[in-house]
Amino acid sequence: QKEVEQNSGPLSVPEGAIASLNCTYSDRGSQSFFWYRQYSGKSPELIMFIYSNGDKEDGRFTAQLNKASQYVSLLIRDSQPSDSATYLCAGRVGGGSEKLVFGKGTKLTVNP
Amino acid sequence: GAVVSQHPSWVICKSGTSVKIECRSLDFQATTMFWYRQFPKQSLMLMATSNEGSKATYEQGVEKDKFLINHASLTLSTLTVTSAHPEDSSFYICSAFWGNPGTAEYFGPGTRLTVT
């Protein structure tokens, strides 16, 4: 079964710190990975996607992908209280399927 | 990012009635739309994959006769919860995707269904 595993957390960091969110996946055929942020009672919002090994930066966010280790991470620099949310890691399964497999999410709290 | 809308944003209905939820991609043509359900404090659960002009593909354990999905155009998919019961009360979210494996799914704002 194709799975995406995330640290369930919760993760708590002080304002201004770096928050590090991690994710591993079981399907070596997965090609692209996505990080979504979900506030309580709201639907997921796309933060970043990555499909090449290495780092991808967008503002305060950096996604990292290591296909050999089947590992994806999201770093949030200069964390703000407004970053407090549940972060969902997702991988698009291989074999031509369009479905995303989601992790259970990591709840992040940024303390002022 | 791409914009996906859902209507209604919330609905309350009586047990035994049917409810239709619309999902629209506003600024792109979605080759595929997905329907998810999320119970409080739980993760997203994929219900079905919907492709324009063809029958939806349901995930294991999802009753296709209860959750009717129609994907009539590249910008509109509907989910009808038939003969709703209180246990169907949940947050229903659609997402849309336009077919390149490197592209993301964009989620609608969700519909909160309460069955009394």
Side-chain angles (χ1 to χ4, degrees):
Chain A
Q1 183 157 349
K2 297 169 182 177
E3 293 183 342
V4 171
E5 302 275 349
Q6 287 184 253
N7 292 340
S8 59
L11 175 65
S12 182
V13 301
E15 184 174 355
I18 296 175
S20 178
L21 303 159
N22 304 312
C23 173
T24 58
Y25 61 96
S26 63
D27 178 21
R28 284 198 172 273
S30 295
Q31 296 293 315
S32 46
F33 300 89
F34 306 86
W35 283 98
Y36 289 88
R37 175 173 63 195
Q38 187 175 24
Y39 293 111
S40 181
K42 303 293 187 182
S43 68
E45 169 194 10
L46 179 70
I47 299 175
M48 292 190 71
F49 63 90
I50 186 168
Y51 47 82
S52 299
N53 266 330
D55 296 0
K56 180 180 179 183
E57 187 174 315
D58 184 0
R60 296 185 296 113
F61 299 97
T62 299
Q64 298 174 316
L65 173 60
N66 183 324
K67 290 188 178 181
S69 300
Q70 296 179 243
Y71 176 88
V72 190
S73 67
L74 179 70
L75 299 178
I76 306 174
R77 289 181 299 283
D78 187 25
S79 296
Q80 301 296 308
S82 57
D83 294 326
S84 298
T86 296
Y87 289 79
L88 302 170
C89 171
R92 178 152 285 127
V93 301
S97 174
E98 298 156 333
K99 293 193 294 187
L100 289 182
V101 177
F102 283 87
K104 294 188 185 303
T106 299
K107 185 171 183 179
L108 170 68
T109 300
V110 180
N111 300 303
Chain B
V3 179
V4 178
S5 71
Q6 268 183 258
H7 177 80
S9 55
W10 58 271
V11 58
I12 300 173
C13 71
K14 292 189 175 180
S15 188
T17 60
S18 295
V19 173
K20 180 185 281 188
I21 302 169
E22 290 188 351
C23 176
R24 293 181 185 272
S25 56
L26 299 183
D27 54 359
F28 66 99
Q29 293 187 323
T31 54
T32 306
M33 289 183 173
F34 300 91
W35 287 95
Y36 294 84
R37 181 165 56 179
Q38 188 173 37
F39 293 105
K41 299 191 187 302
Q42 294 188 22
S43 59
L44 291 171
M45 188 193 84
L46 179 65
M47 299 175 68
T49 302
S50 166
N51 291 294
E52 184 263 341
S54 61
K55 290 185 179 179
T57 302
Y58 291 81
E59 294 299 301
Q60 193 170 7
V62 178
E63 300 173 57
K64 61 181 69 175
D65 293 332
K66 181 169 183 63
F67 299 100
L68 301 178
I69 292 172
N70 183 276
H71 194 154
S73 74
L74 286 172
T75 59
L76 172 64
S77 177
T78 59
L79 167 68
T80 301
V81 183
T82 63
S83 186
H85 289 99
E87 57 266 31
D88 298 323
S89 299
S90 188
F91 191 40
Y92 291 86
I93 315 171
C94 72
S95 69
F97 162 76
W98 63 87
N100 181 330
T103 58
E105 286 177 36
Y106 290 91
F107 284 86
T111 297
R112 194 161 302 281
L113 170 64
T114 301
V115 185
T116 61

